[in-house]
Amino acid sequence: MNQVALITGASRGIGRGIALELAKLGFDLVVNYAGNEEAARQTAADCVAQAKVGGKSIRAAICQADISLTADRHKLIDFTRSTYGRLDLLVNNAGVAPNVRADILDAGEESFDRLMNINVKGPYFLTQLAARWMVDSLNVERSTLGAQRSKPKIITISSISAYTASTNRGDYCIAKAALSMLTPLYAARLAEHGINVYEIRPGIIATDMTGAVKEKYDKLIADGLTPIQRWGTPEDIGRAVAAIAQDLLPFSTGEVLNVDGGFHLRRL
Ligand code: NAP
């Protein structure tokens, strides 16, 4: 039986890149999306095809759910349960940027609330639902098999914005800084159950989210903003997720993986 991964916001961008890498590893997938059904269907089809190239047979199911809504978070978990009956990996990837980048002296509460709901409250409470299910499943496994065989994991995609001040999108920075507390909290709480929890902190990645500021970032990268002088790709993030998913970091939990071309390095 294949392992199962639920990836939020997997219709496009980084989430899609993660789904494609997990497909290569032979994971069955739940491709969550908010509104773009066509893109979600395309990702699911591409994942099945990608797995086939490597000789693997997987299933990929799409599920619409707005992770900021309580009922939708339950729907997503219930869908995963009824479709596959198990959950080995939750990837909290879905997130949004402010609709308008506004100076922090002008920015309004509406954008702040939207970002906190989608980027923080959504993953925090989705993780709670997933973690409860994982713990219950592990208890059943231990009592029926006498040992724990599966090693469920949780990965959250935060951002370099968790520690980088962008004064024209303070709401995004504050949301990502808050999100960065999810991993130490759940890592500490779930270690006794054998569930490892990780954060991946992407740098500047080429997706729809950064499309509007492409020229600005092209210049910054060319001027040496990142030691590795190129844009990151969804595949870069997918490969980091794949390393964790393959259990290559079994004695690490609560860890942050910077996948940012070295952006986080202080240089003199
Ligand atoms: P993107 O290209 O804009 O894609 C966003 C994805 O999230 C889409 O699949 C979208 O679904 C989904 N989504 C949006 N709101 C949602 C909601 N309320 N509920 C469920 N799904 C929702 O963004 P991205 O660049 O791939 O970013 C993915 C994650 O990486 C975000 O958390 C972002 O903050 C983070 N990140 C991005 C960068 C970067 O440079 N791009 C850097 C650091 C961190 P639909 O297709 O249905 O709209």
Side-chain angles (χ1 to χ4, degrees):
M1 191 191 283
N2 289 344
Q3 292 191 77
V4 173
L6 161 54
I7 307 148
T8 64
S11 45
R12 295 182 284 124
I14 291 173
R16 176 182 152 85
I18 293 168
L20 286 165
E21 293 303 315
L22 292 175
K24 287 186 198 164
L25 294 180
F27 275 77
D28 284 340
L29 304 170
V30 176
V31 172
N32 160 248
Y33 67 102
N36 200 334
E37 183 177 334
E38 202 183 317
R41 281 197 194 289
Q42 188 62 53
T43 295
D46 291 348
C47 284
V48 172
Q50 182 79 271
K52 206 175 266 177
V53 171
K56 297 205 158 67
S57 173
I58 67 151
R59 292 175 292 167
I62 67 168
C63 182
Q64 190 284 328
D66 176 345
I67 56 155
S68 69
L69 303 175
T70 310
D72 281 22
R73 289 191 294 273
H74 281 274
K75 173 179 150 187
L76 195 47
I77 294 293
D78 291 347
F79 177 85
T80 308
R81 196 191 296 270
S82 61
T83 306
Y84 299 121
R86 62 186 284 172
L87 178 62
D88 299 280
L89 174 63
L90 167 67
V91 185
N92 288 310
N93 163 75
V96 291
N99 289 327
V100 179
R101 291 187 172 205
D103 185 280
I104 50 171
L105 297 184
D106 305 316
E109 291 188 23
E110 203 178 307
S111 177
F112 184 92
D113 291 344
R114 173 173 172 262
L115 265 62
M116 291 303 279
N117 282 332
I118 297 174
N119 294 356
V120 183
K121 186 178 168 191
Y124 182 70
F125 285 106
L126 184 66
T127 299
Q128 184 186 67
L129 293 180
R132 283 186 197 153
W133 180 17
M134 287 172 174
V135 168
D136 288 348
S137 303
L138 289 169
N139 286 339
V140 170
E141 193 173 295
R142 276 190 217 98
S143 65
T144 53
L145 301 176
Q148 179 182 329
R149 295 219 180 121
S150 36
K151 294 176 181 169
K153 297 169 188 64
I154 295 165
I155 301 172
T156 296
I157 309 300
S158 66
S159 171
I160 52 174
S161 295
Y163 62 86
T164 304
S166 299
T167 56
N168 62 354
R169 50 191 172 115
D171 39 20
Y172 185 76
C173 297
I174 285 186
K176 288 296 180 179
L179 181 64
S180 278
M181 195 22 105
L182 184 155
T183 293
L185 283 168
Y186 277 105
R189 181 64 184 80
L190 297 175
E192 66 179 285
H193 299 284
I195 302 168
N196 287 2
V197 185
Y198 305 88
E199 173 180 334
I200 291 177
R201 212 170 261 179
I204 300 171
I205 312 295
T207 67
D208 292 344
M209 187 181 275
T210 44
V213 282
K214 183 175 179 308
E215 273 150 40
K216 176 185 168 185
Y217 288 157
D218 276 347
K219 186 171 182 333
L220 288 170
I221 292 167
D223 290 347
L225 178 73
T226 52
I228 300 175
Q229 264 181 304
R230 67 163 173 87
W231 281 76
T233 64
E235 187 188 346
D236 287 321
I237 310 302
R239 288 172 73 166
V241 168
I244 295 169
Q246 289 174 84
D247 212 25
L248 295 179
L249 302 171
F251 197 48
S252 304
T253 193
E255 279 303 313
V256 177
L257 252 80
N258 293 287
V259 187
D260 62 356
F263 174 89
H264 67 283
L265 299 170
R266 286 170 195 264
R267 287 173 288 165
L268 191 61

